[in-house]
Amino acid sequence: MRCQDLDAKLADYLRDELAPAERQAVAAHLRDCERCRGEVEQAARLWQALDKPPPAPSPAMGGRFYAMLSGEVARGELRTLERGGAPAGRPPGLFGRLWPTRPAWALSYSLALLLSGVVLGEGLRPAGSLMNNEQFPALSQERLVQLCSVQGQGQG
Amino acid sequence: MRDETDTALMLRVKAGEPACLGELFERHSGRLYRYFYRLCGRRQWSEDMVQECFARMLRYASAYREDGHFLSWAFHIARNVAADFLRREDRGAGAEGEDPDALAGGEPGPADRRLLEAEQGRLQRALLRLAPEQRELILLGRLRELPGTELARLFGCSTGAVKVRQHRALKELREHFESETESESTSKR
């Protein structure tokens, strides 16, 4: 192998991508040629130096990307709604547009409100309410007697 | 999502699920950042270019082919982003790499760490003295981001031509690196 033959194979040699026979030929040449040996050593140092990690990116790089992506996801949902469709994960059509984004949350919240209303209502109902079933029949009978007396006088 | 291939994820982005790009960001933003940093030597510019790269992936998702190789497509976009970014306000030619002492915060460190940082500084300056295409050839080849066939497709030439160009670029890099080492030794005397 001549020195100029090595030039063409140097990158592959550094990447360890030479065929075994070629690699042996390069190794044999390097044993005998001090100039090429020096060049290969320097090239290998550069090759390894390229592998060293550069300064790490700032945490803001990820933040900026996800801010952009969130905006794009929101724009995508808006475009879907404008076309009359339903956002991802919802039924199609008008029903889909009315369907809450978080149905479990909405249902739990509604049930909690309903329960609170019932409990509050029970607590606020006074003891002498007209709706008291025990009193209502008695009041009705008294009222009926009065009504009957009035009617009797009218017919007589 | 974590078990899906890059291509499958990108096809989902194309089909209207932009959130899938998040997983691709987690997988590949680091390598894109390293590539941009080696191209320009500046952290902020590299972060800006990563952002622009993923923004273009969203914008041009409809152009992604089903039989595409995601990294090839990503680096194709990355090359265009770098060319546009560095051309703006003439940021490319002659741009200085970040001073390794500044990166270390000016604090005294172990001797071997300072030597390493000095070497990295010389390497970065040597890289910046190369023509942009030569820099790309070396970085994409060394970082093994793409197989030889994809590199050839990216540069519009044969695999053999890529190797020849890489060899020439590497030779020039060595010359620039030696020159940087000599001028550093001269300035210290």
Side-chain angles (χ1 to χ4, degrees):
Chain A
M1 178 178 284
R2 298 167 300 173
C3 296
Q4 52 265 44
D5 296 331
L6 176 62
D7 284 347
K9 297 182 191 310
L10 182 56
D12 285 342
Y13 177 76
L14 292 172
R15 277 196 299 262
D16 201 18
E17 289 178 0
L18 285 179
E22 279 186 309
R23 189 165 183 84
Q24 281 175 10
V26 167
H29 178 80
L30 291 178
R31 275 196 294 272
D32 297 332
C33 182
E34 192 178 338
R35 186 191 78 92
C36 286
R37 204 162 49 241
E39 283 198 14
V40 167
E41 280 169 8
Q42 192 195 40
R45 265 180 48 218
L46 279 181
W47 211 237
Q48 282 169 13
L50 281 168
D51 250 359
K52 298 279 186 300
S58 68
M61 188 174 85
R64 284 170 62 191
F65 167 76
Y66 282 109
M68 176 195 69
L69 191 62
S70 298
E72 185 59 32
V73 168
R75 272 192 293 276
E77 288 193 345
L78 186 61
R79 280 194 290 269
T80 305
L81 284 173
E82 286 171 349
R83 283 197 302 265
R90 297 195 203 173
L94 178 63
F95 185 70
R97 278 181 280 164
L98 296 175
W99 188 254
T101 52
R102 293 184 178 179
W105 276 102
L107 186 61
S108 305
Y109 184 64
S110 302
L111 283 174
L113 273 179
L114 184 63
L115 203 60
S116 304
V118 168
V119 167
L120 197 63
E122 279 296 311
L124 288 176
R125 189 173 61 171
S129 165
L130 283 174
M131 293 305 293
N132 187 319
N133 288 335
E134 291 176 5
Q135 290 180 349
F136 189 69
L139 195 62
S140 292
Q141 283 176 4
E142 198 177 312
R143 181 63 182 150
L144 275 173
V145 164
Q146 282 177 354
L147 284 173
C148 291
S149 303
V150 166
Q151 282 186 344
Q153 287 172 4
Q155 288 171 0
Chain B
M1 207 185 284
R2 286 198 182 158
D3 296 333
E4 292 182 76
T5 62
D6 293 341
T7 295
L9 285 170
M10 195 59 220
L11 287 173
R12 286 177 67 183
V13 174
K14 180 179 176 179
E17 296 180 58
C20 293
L21 197 66
E23 177 62 24
L24 290 167
F25 179 86
E26 295 300 322
R27 291 181 191 180
H28 300 299
S29 60
R31 57 164 38 105
L32 284 169
Y33 170 83
R34 281 193 297 276
Y35 171 72
F36 287 132
Y37 187 87
R38 288 299 187 195
L39 279 182
C40 71
R42 290 192 181 268
R43 179 159 51 190
Q44 186 58 56
W45 291 0
S46 304
E47 292 182 18
D48 292 345
M49 284 192 274
V50 167
Q51 178 78 358
E52 178 60 22
C53 201
F54 279 92
R56 290 191 190 188
M57 286 186 203
L58 271 176
R59 207 177 307 151
Y60 303 124
S62 57
Y64 187 76
R65 290 174 16 213
E66 289 195 18
D67 60 346
H69 183 269
F70 174 76
L71 269 184
S72 291
W73 187 68
F75 274 98
H76 179 77
I77 291 177
R79 291 185 71 216
N80 289 335
V81 165
D84 293 344
F85 190 92
L86 297 175
R87 192 168 38 233
R88 250 181 283 155
E89 298 172 32
D90 196 24
R91 284 162 168 162
E96 292 290 325
E98 286 174 333
D99 179 12
D101 287 338
L103 290 173
E107 297 171 5
D112 54 353
R113 184 161 73 92
R114 291 177 70 80
L115 277 174
L116 180 66
E117 285 168 353
E119 185 184 66
Q120 284 291 301
R122 288 199 301 274
L123 173 63
Q124 195 59 47
R125 287 191 293 274
L127 271 171
L128 291 170
R129 288 169 67 173
L130 292 174
E133 190 184 275
Q134 288 181 312
R135 240 179 285 156
E136 290 173 322
L137 275 165
I138 287 179
L139 293 175
L140 291 173
R142 177 62 187 116
L143 301 176
R144 291 183 194 255
E145 304 297 358
L146 300 173
T149 46
E150 291 301 325
L151 268 181
R153 196 192 303 187
L154 204 58
F155 287 93
C157 59
S158 66
T159 316
V162 164
K163 290 189 180 183
V164 168
R165 291 190 204 180
Q166 275 183 330
H167 153 65
R168 286 184 192 149
L170 192 57
K171 192 171 177 184
E172 252 192 72
L173 179 66
R174 279 171 19 221
E175 287 167 4
H176 290 315
F177 185 78
E178 277 176 24
S179 159
E180 289 290 331
T181 307
E182 278 173 23
S183 49
E184 209 169 88
S185 317
T186 309
S187 64
K188 281 180 181 169
R189 284 186 204 142

